[in-house]
Amino acid sequence: MSNIRHILLLLASLSASPALHAAPITLSGGHFSVTYDDTLLGVYGVPSLLGGDTIVFNPTNFKAVASTGSFTQTASFSLSLAAHSGYVLTDLLLQESGDYYRIGGGMVNVGATLAAVNPANSNTASLVLAPSAPLNAVTSLSNFQTTNWALSGNLSLLSLGAPTSLSVDLGNTLSASATGGIGFIEKKFVGLRISTQQGVPPAAVPEPGSLALLMAGLLAAWGLKLSGGRLSTAAYKRRLSQ
């Protein structure tokens, strides 16, 4: 009975323990701010801002290696962007790099996705990226060396309606397989550059009543021109009132 009581007390204390909460971190760039949850960084590592417009990650354990069978490592990361007053978000440029090696029949691959949502209208834009060159270099144990890889792509935000805020999702996949060999690939750098421009308010559109008066005035002026300019002031006013 005593043991049961101790177990119940332990369960009660655990249920009363405070739950882990998200810890939002905000970084301020030149013309925008970026907010992320530091409990969800995973293998990306802690980001920093470079040059006031680029969010930089330097992963230290984002890799896939296979000496038998295959292995895939996937990771995602979400962040929120908010343009400073008077600015809109126009482009996202994603750049990633790392290195790899293949020994014997080993194979490797890398892929990335970038998606943005304008919360004001739910419009979305997305991008799928692949390496800029095939990952086909082969090395050997006797002459071992790694080979660099890179990928990059630009996501235009013009279709999102001049957003001042964005929800951004970044996804990455590394894969390695071995058929009588070894495959290894590692991601060492992730950079997301955010482009902005000063927002231009849309041109004012005349209200229907004002537009009707404007058209009436133009038609009256056109009639005045056709009559050789001989309309009296009273006749001109009568035309406007018709």
Side-chain angles (χ1 to χ4, degrees):
M1 193 67 175
S2 177
N3 289 337
I4 295 177
R5 186 180 297 110
H6 288 161
I7 293 174
L8 291 176
L9 289 174
L10 177 60
L11 292 175
S13 66
L14 289 175
S15 63
S17 299
L20 291 176
H21 295 287
I25 303 295
T26 298
L27 304 175
S28 185
H31 302 304
F32 67 90
S33 62
V34 54
T35 302
Y36 64 92
D37 181 354
D38 71 345
T39 65
L40 302 177
L41 289 172
V43 294
Y44 283 93
V46 179
S48 60
L49 269 172
L50 178 65
D53 65 354
T54 303
I55 305 167
V56 174
F57 300 85
N58 295 109
T60 58
N61 195 36
F62 198 170
K63 61 187 68 175
V65 58
S67 56
T68 59
S70 61
F71 179 78
T72 298
Q73 167 115 299
T74 61
S76 59
F77 186 68
S78 299
L79 52 88
S80 298
L81 298 176
H84 290 173
S85 178
Y87 287 86
V88 296
L89 303 161
T90 61
D91 292 89
L92 300 177
L93 174 64
L94 178 62
Q95 297 176 305
E96 299 188 358
S97 61
D99 59 12
Y100 73 95
Y101 65 80
R102 297 169 56 210
I103 298 175
M107 302 290 290
V108 296
N109 203 359
V110 58
T113 59
L114 180 64
V117 180
N118 182 357
N121 55 23
S122 298
N123 288 347
T124 63
S126 59
L127 187 67
V128 178
L129 292 88
S132 56
L135 307 186
N136 53 12
V138 178
T139 188
S140 63
L141 292 175
S142 60
N143 188 27
F144 179 80
Q145 60 181 351
T146 60
T147 303
N148 294 331
W149 62 264
L151 57 78
S152 65
N154 185 77
L155 180 62
S156 172
L157 306 175
L158 296 178
S159 63
L160 302 187
T164 57
S165 62
L166 284 178
S167 297
V168 178
D169 291 308
L170 177 62
N172 278 266
T173 301
L174 295 177
S175 59
S177 62
T179 304
I182 299 174
F184 172 90
I185 186 166
E186 181 175 21
K187 190 183 303 289
K188 293 184 174 181
F189 172 83
V190 178
L192 183 64
R193 190 178 72 189
I194 294 92
S195 297
T196 60
Q197 70 177 26
Q198 287 186 304
V200 179
V205 178
E207 296 181 2
S210 301
L211 186 59
L213 289 175
L214 176 62
M215 292 300 296
L218 291 175
L219 288 173
W222 179 65
L224 182 63
K225 182 177 181 181
L226 289 179
S227 63
R230 290 190 296 273
L231 284 178
S232 66
T233 301
Y236 179 68
K237 290 182 177 179
R238 282 198 301 275
R239 286 202 174 194
L240 286 179
S241 64
Q242 289 177 350

